Amino acid sequence: MITFTPLSGAARSPCTVPLAYLLQVDDVRILLDCGSPDWCPEPPAGDVEEQKPPSWEEYCDALKECAPTVDLVLLSHGDLSHSGLYPYAHTHWGLTAPTYTTLPVQAMARVAVTEDVDGIREEEDVGDNTPRIAEDPASPADDSGSPSPEAEAGSPSPSLSSSTKKRKYVATTQEVIEAFESVNVLRYSQPCHLQGKCQGLTIVPFNAGHSLGGTIWKIRSPSAGTILYAVDMNHMKERHLDGTVLMRQAAAGGGVFESLARPDLLITDAERANVTTARRKDRDAALLDCVTATLSSRNSLLMPCDSSSRVLELLVLLDQHWNYSRLKYPICLLSRTGQEMLTFIRSMMEWFGGTISKEDVGEHGSDGRRDRRRRDDDHDEEALGAFALRFRHVEFFMNPQSLMQTYSSKDPKLILAVPATLSHGPSRALFSHFAEIPDNVVLLTGRSEPGTLGRQLFDKWNNAQREEAKWDRGRIGSNIMMDGVLRLEMHSKVPLQGAELDEFLAKERAAREKEAAQQAALARTQRMLEADEADSESDSDSDADSDDDSDDDEENEVERTLGEDFMDTAEEGKAVRPNGRAKRKRDQKGGAVGADWGNEVDEGVTRISFDIYLKGNVAKATSFFKSAEGQTQRFRMFPYVEKKRRVDEYGETVDVGMWLRKGKALEEDAESEESKDAKRRKEEEEAKKTPREPPYKFITSYAEVQLACRLFFVDLEGLNDGRAVKTIVPSVNPRKMILVHAPEAATDALIEGCANIRAMTKEIYAPSQGETVQIGQHTNSFSISLSDELLASIKMSRFEDNEVGFVSGRVSSLASSTVPVLEPALSAHLQASSAQPLRGRTLGARPTQALPQSTMIGELKLTALKTRLASVGVQAELVGEGVLICGAAAKRGASVDALGDSVAVRKTARGRVELEGSFSDVYYLVRKEIYGLLALVAA
């Protein structure tokens, strides 16, 4: 039985991102994608709306609840909407199930999530700690190790309520790295047979287009059949990618890829089912014309973009245009991870397609001298083998401040800034100043997530277009002039100054002193509890030679155990040391003769109690009992703590921590002074290289942006439009289909289009968020082991990716195993019959035996049979519906005598194939070819 639940990105939903779906096949729970929402949407207009929880709370709560029970995770694309929340769920919510994706998706997702979390944590508190009042300047430190007291500037209300309601699940950079390092990577068309609880399932990734390494997942189950998960595909070839393998190119004959045809369940998206996209040639020309015209008029362009996936298509397009037109204007990529992203993709040339593979392999790969010369001229060692990915015209900047220091606002330039939603980070900071300059152009290449500034700008542009020029009508619109005032909420992190800094440093100093005191008390207690067991055991096993030696051993044991701790006496409230003799010996050796050790007092040390009498340090005090002589002696007592030995099934447990500490102490003692000094100098140098970040606080301000720039939109999202979706889905022809990731209008459009096709399935589901769809019935699966004798007797036949064979045996149980064993039925029958007495038999009578029947597995296609017969010299023609005439009768003008060598192949209902004709060479040849197209399971 198959159970499907959309956690986010459901059908008929106004917000179609992020994508996350829970698929359960029998007892195996599979998480398909784990995207993150935009954590910084625009604030709602009304005060009433502010009381509603954020849009991502329902999704995050559902994912948090099901994450520990997930058995398998599959990631399809490397952007935030498909993989953004995986690091946080992996670290905090127990999403530790085996995760699979392709190598580029792993690398690109790591880059995208790192860019996102760094940008958010650089501007605001993500709510890692307990919510606090904004005016508190000395709150606990966040994950980065630096204190982050939050202040509110320009707003009368504190940020306590907002931080309580809008909890943002943003991972740290280290958590992102560790999470994606645990992901398993596969190649395209590489089957992976899962083990453990997922045993029996096979997953195979295929190229989906749209992004580098984008994946269509094929899941094969022995009980549920074949499941195809295909979202965000692109069948069109782009500059850096080939189209999806789901639809073959016209040069390859067209049609659906055979391995992906006719699945039992297809899970696909319908987001653009009612959208008609303009031709790629027209879209590219409109974008490049806008760029060239703006730069030629000495103005600048701002193109918000993502940090990993679709930015590659933009860079390749712009770099080719710069080389062709010989433009000298700078292309500025504003991203923290831009150079890291290019380093990754230059090592993944086998995953690229389009014009990049032609340039690298076809044109330049045949001339080694030209390769060497171009590499030496460019002084770029990493670009060898990736000439289309050198991007000589692109300059990288980490933040807007470095960009402004290099180029002034009057210099014409093209700026690619992340993120594409303009919700935070460099793109939002630049937009607040960029939009006020007349004739500058903000060029959008995607619609962005609903509720963000990027989506608001797209809606403004789309509403200003004529009805026939809107974005979903297959036309290229025109740019518009923006006017009015836009109020933006800006977040930033500023260092503490003045009284705030002094107060924070004072509290930090007090906290550091308190922690040091706690550590000292803990270490002192640890030394007391850790007795030297080896010495104590040797002392108890050996016989003492004299009482004096025993007394010395006892006093040495006291000295080792108490260390530097003190004992209180009743004489004038003074503190004395229990090891007076040893202390005097140390004074003689150290030169501190005459020191009054009885007057030393350690302030703040916790007093200890004593349980047994201790020799020495006798104090005189008045006692109620035996007071005849007026004075009695009272001895001090030793701080004895009874040790309880912990025992497990292997004996006494070993305190690993104690041995590690002792080993570390021995290593430190064995080190020479030179090595200690070298290590100390190395630590000081590392501390100087990574200076500690000064104390800071987060502030929120509001900027009034006077809009004066132009706004233009060109669709470069790289996704299928409605015509492609309505062509691909019927060609795949699934038995059942689930629609996700689509608004209501697009969902209804695709369902209506499929309903008009007679051969298309009618079982189409479009579940909403949180709604569960059950397909099929629950199937019980059992495990059985085949004996070696039975395996040797099976005749296997290959069918697709599997080998099948007929098995007949008897199930037997073994005392040494819980899995039953299937043995040959013949040997089991002989063992049973040998124990029975022989019976007489009537002369001439034979027992009735049923003859075994062979089984053919597969679907015979008459067109494929016709092609195979033609290759062996037998002419065949299709006559009527489902009838193939083979032999002489297939020739025109054949004589009546030649009809005897003809055979008719007919397909009937229920998968039966009839071979009709007289016995001849043609008959046996046709039968042999039919057997070759099917898998024969001999009984």
Side-chain angles (χ1 to χ4, degrees), residues 75 83 85-92 95 97 99 106 110 113 171-184:
L75 303 178
S83 309
L85 197 56
Y86 174 74
Y88 191 92
H90 175 82
T91 306
H92 299 276
L95 187 62
T99 306
Q106 180 199 30
R110 173 181 167 182
V113 180
T172 62
T173 304
Q174 186 62 30
E175 291 172 354
V176 173
I177 295 174
E178 293 176 355
F180 284 108
E181 283 181 351
S182 65
V183 175
N184 304 299

Side-chain angles (χ1 to χ4, degrees), residues 493-513:
K493 182 174 68 173
V494 297
L496 296 179
Q497 296 178 353
E500 290 181 340
L501 179 60
D502 296 338
E503 184 178 358
F504 168 77
L505 293 177
K507 290 190 176 182
E508 188 184 42
R509 192 181 307 110
R512 190 164 52 246
E513 293 174 354

Side-chain angles (χ1 to χ4, degrees), residues 385-567:
F387 295 109
L389 303 177
R390 291 175 302 160
F391 304 130
R392 294 176 299 174
H393 308 283
V394 178
E395 301 180 24
F396 299 93
F397 297 92
M398 300 290 291
N399 49 55
Q401 290 76 19
S402 59
L403 175 63
M404 295 303 178
Q405 292 175 0
T406 306
Y407 298 103
S408 68
S409 58
K410 297 181 180 179
D411 295 333
K413 54 189 171 296
L414 173 60
I415 305 173
L416 301 174
V418 297
T421 58
L422 294 165
S423 58
H424 64 277
S427 61
R428 188 180 183 90
L430 277 177
F431 177 80
S432 60
H433 305 286
F434 190 88
E436 295 179 343
I437 301 177
D439 294 330
N440 277 358
V441 176
V442 177
L443 183 55
L444 303 177
T445 58
R447 294 180 299 156
S448 300
E449 184 176 338
T452 60
L453 177 59
R455 187 58 171 264
Q456 293 180 1
L457 294 178
F458 166 77
D459 292 339
K460 182 187 291 290
W461 176 87
N462 194 42
N463 295 333
Q465 303 299 313
R466 300 190 307 272
E467 189 65 27
E468 66 274 6
K470 292 187 180 298
W471 81 281
D472 56 351
R473 301 302 175 88
R475 300 289 184 88
I476 304 295
S478 57
N479 60 49
I480 63 171
M481 177 68 73
M482 290 196 296
D483 56 359
V485 178
L486 183 63
R487 191 168 187 261
L488 295 181
E489 181 178 336
M490 309 296 294
H491 301 276
S492 59
K493 182 174 68 173
V494 297
L496 296 179
Q497 296 178 353
E500 290 181 340
L501 179 60
D502 296 338
E503 184 178 358
F504 168 77
L505 293 177
K507 290 190 176 182
E508 188 184 42
R509 192 181 307 110
R512 190 164 52 246
E513 293 174 354
K514 182 178 179 182
E515 183 181 0
Q518 292 176 353
Q519 293 292 336
L522 182 62
R524 187 163 54 251
T525 305
Q526 191 70 26
R527 288 197 305 269
M528 292 172 59
L529 295 179
E530 288 181 2
D532 193 350
E533 297 182 1
D535 294 343
S536 63
E537 289 178 0
S538 62
D539 291 342
S540 61
D541 293 340
S542 62
D543 297 328
D545 295 336
S546 62
D547 295 339
D548 296 337
D549 295 339
S550 299
D551 294 342
D552 293 340
D553 292 340
E554 290 180 1
E555 292 185 6
N556 292 335
E557 182 68 21
V558 171
E559 177 185 352
R560 285 195 301 268
T561 306
L562 292 180
E564 298 296 328
D565 293 318
F566 297 97
M567 300 167 56

Side-chain angles (χ1 to χ4, degrees), residues 652-707:
E652 183 180 354
T653 58
V654 179
D655 188 358
V656 181
M658 181 186 69
W659 288 107
L660 291 176
R661 285 189 295 272
K662 289 186 177 181
K664 186 177 180 181
L666 291 175
E667 290 177 359
E668 292 177 355
D669 294 341
E671 288 182 355
S672 60
E673 293 296 333
E674 292 80 4
S675 61
K676 291 181 180 180
D677 294 341
K679 185 184 296 185
R680 191 180 303 109
R681 286 194 299 268
K682 184 178 180 181
E683 292 177 356
E684 292 177 356
E685 291 176 359
E686 292 180 355
K688 291 179 181 179
K689 289 181 181 179
T690 57
R692 180 176 176 269
E693 188 174 5
Y696 58 83
K697 65 178 180 180
F698 295 106
I699 63 172
T700 302
S701 59
Y702 292 90
E704 303 287 341
V705 181
Q706 182 67 42
L707 300 177

Side-chain angles (χ1 to χ4, degrees), residues 44 56 110 211 325 330 376 518 566 573 687 723 801 823 843 857:
W56 60 76
R110 173 181 167 182
S211 67
S325 302
D376 295 340
Q518 292 176 353
F566 297 97
R723 294 174 297 183
D801 298 334
E823 297 179 346
L843 185 61
I857 298 179

